[in-house]
Amino acid sequence: MITQSLADLAVDLTAVIDGVARAFGEGAVRTVEGELDCDPAEPGRLVCWQYGVRLERCASGERRLAEAVLPMLESAGWQARDRSSATELIARFSREGADFTVHVARAGAGVAIVGSTRCVETT
């Protein structure tokens, strides 16, 4: 099995999240980007990459999630889980240890997307 570096995993996750953001429209603003410790008992041994964006305005966010994002990600091997609440539509996607969530506000027009790679050992 070929082990991907954290940098490679970060590039892949960033591309997926940026692609999902484009499905909701233009103007995504980065909210988080960087390494995150996975094991507080041994800081620095296992790390993942965290990345997120936000769109302040998105017309028809619920429709775009259902009609564009879900089919696109499922065809690429991402598994979807519904985590919705009364205030927002939330879809969680996971594949090969990486996961991210898409939050679509039910009132208003905001969309937030944030996720992380699987944890990898540092060298």
Side-chain angles (χ1 to χ4, degrees), residues 77-95:
W78 289 88
Q79 293 181 339
R81 289 181 189 82
D82 183 10
R83 301 286 189 228
S84 299
S85 70
T87 58
E88 62 184 341
L89 183 64
I90 304 169
R92 180 176 177 157
F93 297 93
S94 58
R95 181 180 77 182

Side-chain angles (χ1 to χ4, degrees), residues 28-81:
V29 176
R30 187 173 302 135
T31 57
V32 63
E33 178 179 33
E35 286 185 18
L36 183 66
D37 248 327
C38 297
D39 185 357
E42 293 185 56
R45 188 179 73 79
L46 287 173
V47 294
C48 67
W49 183 258
Q50 187 176 25
Y51 182 73
V53 297
R54 177 161 180 76
L55 291 94
E56 292 297 326
R57 303 269 180 242
C58 174
S60 306
E62 290 185 35
R63 182 182 55 77
R64 291 179 192 214
L65 178 61
E67 295 177 7
V69 174
L70 279 169
M72 172 182 68
L73 292 173
E74 287 176 340
S75 71
W78 289 88
Q79 293 181 339
R81 289 181 189 82

